[in-house]
Amino acid sequence: MNKAYAIPHDTTKVNYKTFDYRVFIVDDSYSSRALLENYLKKLPSYREGNKPVLDIHTFSSGEDCVSCLYLKPDIVVLDHHLNEQDTSAMNGLSVLKQIKAKRPSTKIIAMSGQDSVIITSEFFHNGADDYVSKEHSCNTLVEHSVVRLIHSIEKERKSKFQTFLLVFVLAIFSFLVGYIL
């Protein structure tokens, strides 16, 4: 499994073929990032015979996360209060909006230490796929959410591949019909 503890700025060094899913963890708390990363590394197998290989990248700020969107994350686990230590930094909602503007297919799991209906609804309104309160078994809930989103991504990938095959077969058929006639 690839490990990324620093922000990779050179895309030539990124191997896109050695993992199934790229996951970004964005939290200004080092301990929260490290715990969640270690927890996701131990993600149990949910498929027959093998478990998904996750390429996990951690970020301490929303700005760092946004600057690395060229890495095409599949899932972003995003804390709401990213600007507690630096009030000029982006908060999670601002990061979510930028991710959705640049990579709309990226799945977002929002997290917050507050059980606020307003914060939760703002995240969902702006495109979050799930919301986890840090006050309730956060790691387990994030794990379940990641597994659910992986299933969703697999269905989307399969559907895109089937559509591609159908278009390819129709193009060949049209060519052959045109050639015969």
Side-chain angles (χ1 to χ4, degrees):
M1 181 181 313
N2 284 343
K3 293 182 183 179
Y5 295 103
I7 301 170
H9 289 287
D10 184 3
T11 56
T12 60
K13 295 180 182 177
V14 178
N15 185 348
Y16 290 99
K17 305 293 184 195
T18 60
F19 62 91
D20 296 322
Y21 305 95
R22 179 166 282 136
V23 179
F24 283 8
I25 300 171
V26 189
D27 198 322
D28 60 344
S29 165
Y30 173 78
S31 60
S32 293
R33 284 192 317 272
L35 281 170
L36 194 52
E37 179 183 20
N38 288 330
Y39 205 81
L40 289 178
K41 283 179 183 177
K42 297 173 185 164
L43 192 69
S45 176
Y46 69 93
R47 295 188 292 197
E48 298 253 343
N50 63 343
K51 52 191 231 181
V53 177
L54 302 179
D55 181 27
I56 301 172
H57 297 256
T58 63
F59 302 94
S60 61
S61 74
E63 290 82 0
D64 289 344
C65 170
V66 169
S67 73
C68 288
L69 288 176
Y70 68 88
L71 292 173
K72 301 178 182 177
D74 296 298
I75 299 170
V76 176
V77 181
L78 179 62
D79 185 32
H80 173 62
H81 289 291
L82 295 172
N83 56 353
E84 283 183 5
Q85 293 155 353
D86 179 5
T87 56
S88 66
M90 297 170 64
N91 69 13
L93 195 57
S94 300
V95 176
L96 168 69
K97 290 175 183 177
Q98 287 202 23
I99 292 170
K100 286 299 183 177
K102 294 178 181 181
R103 298 218 23 93
S105 63
T106 299
K107 307 294 184 194
I108 308 288
I109 303 169
M111 297 187 304
S112 179
Q114 304 172 350
D115 271 338
S116 168
V117 175
I118 295 170
I119 292 172
T120 305
S121 64
E122 284 181 12
F123 269 108
F124 281 121
H125 178 73
N126 285 287
D129 296 280
D130 206 350
Y131 182 87
V132 173
S133 172
K134 285 183 167 183
E135 298 187 7
H136 309 288
S137 303
C138 176
N139 292 338
T140 303
L141 293 173
V142 169
E143 175 192 331
H144 290 294
S145 185
V146 166
V147 169
R148 184 180 60 76
L149 292 176
I150 285 173
H151 283 293
S152 173
I153 292 167
E154 282 182 344
K155 287 179 185 176
E156 290 171 9
R157 286 178 180 174
K158 186 176 181 179
S159 176
K160 284 179 184 177
F161 182 70
Q162 289 171 340
T163 301
F164 168 77
L165 284 179
L166 179 62
V167 169
F168 182 72
V169 168
L170 288 174
I172 290 175
F173 180 73
S174 295
F175 173 75
L176 291 175
V177 168
Y179 184 72
I180 292 173
L181 297 176

